[in-house]
């Protein structure tokens, strides 16, 4: 909530369905995407939750790399961990990273997220 000139405003930053629950901690995919997009060789990304037997969910990311960069999934995961180490809490750093050619988009050009086994815009 923000207050300006005596008026109170609420800023909506995402949908409740998109929130990733990692061991009781709430993670907003948009926050992680904002950090990942600051990396010079990442063109686009999609962050989503995947089921995890221990924590309930874990943070996963699909990443579109710059054409000039050649990383394996393992190398990219290491680079992301190093980059995010001082910017995000440990539970927010993606545990699974997948390099993709492009991200799935809806007719409205919104990223399609996997949530609870289904897809939402």
């Amino acid at each position: 909530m923000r207050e300006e000139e005596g008026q109170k405003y609420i800023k909506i930053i995402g949908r409740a369905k998109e929130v990733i629950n990692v061991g009781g901690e709430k993670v907003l995919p948009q926050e992680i995407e904002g950090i990942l997009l600051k990396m010079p060789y990442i063109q686009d990304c999609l962050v989503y939750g995947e089921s995890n037997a221990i924590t309930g969910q874990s943070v996963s990311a699909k990443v579109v790399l710059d054409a000039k960069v050649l990383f394996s999934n393992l190398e990219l995961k290491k680079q992301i961990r190093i980059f995010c180490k001082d910017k995000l809490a440990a539970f927010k750093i993606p545990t699974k990273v997948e390099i993709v050619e492009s991200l799935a988009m809806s007719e409205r050009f919104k990223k399609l997220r996997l949530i609870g086994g289904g897809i939402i815009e």
Side-chain angles (χ1 to χ4, degrees), residues 1 5 10-12 21 25-28 41 43 45 48 53 63 71 75-76 85 88 90 94 98 108 111 113-114:
M1 186 173 295
E5 301 172 14
I10 296 175
K11 182 178 179 183
I12 299 171
N21 188 345
E25 299 286 346
K26 306 299 186 246
V27 179
L28 292 170
Y41 40 82
Q43 287 186 335
C45 65
Y48 59 97
V63 177
F71 280 131
E75 290 171 324
L76 180 61
K85 191 175 181 180
L88 294 170
E98 183 182 349
R108 295 177 166 176
K111 296 177 185 177
R113 296 185 189 279
L114 290 171

Side-chain angles (χ1 to χ4, degrees), residues 50-114:
E50 273 194 4
S51 293
N52 181 301
I54 298 169
T55 61
Q57 285 185 309
S58 62
V59 179
S60 299
K62 291 186 179 186
V63 177
V64 178
L65 293 177
D66 189 353
K68 301 172 202 157
V69 180
L70 297 174
F71 280 131
S72 70
N73 279 353
L74 185 59
E75 290 171 324
L76 180 61
K77 184 177 174 181
K78 286 180 185 177
Q79 292 297 317
I80 287 174
R81 289 194 74 75
I82 292 167
F83 184 81
C84 293
K85 191 175 181 180
D86 61 338
K87 296 170 182 61
L88 294 170
F91 65 90
K92 293 182 177 183
I93 298 173
T95 56
K96 179 182 173 189
V97 177
E98 183 182 349
I99 299 171
V100 295
E101 295 287 321
S102 63
L103 299 173
M105 299 283 196
S106 71
E107 302 87 39
R108 295 177 166 176
F109 300 103
K110 292 183 180 179
K111 296 177 185 177
L112 295 176
R113 296 185 189 279
L114 290 171

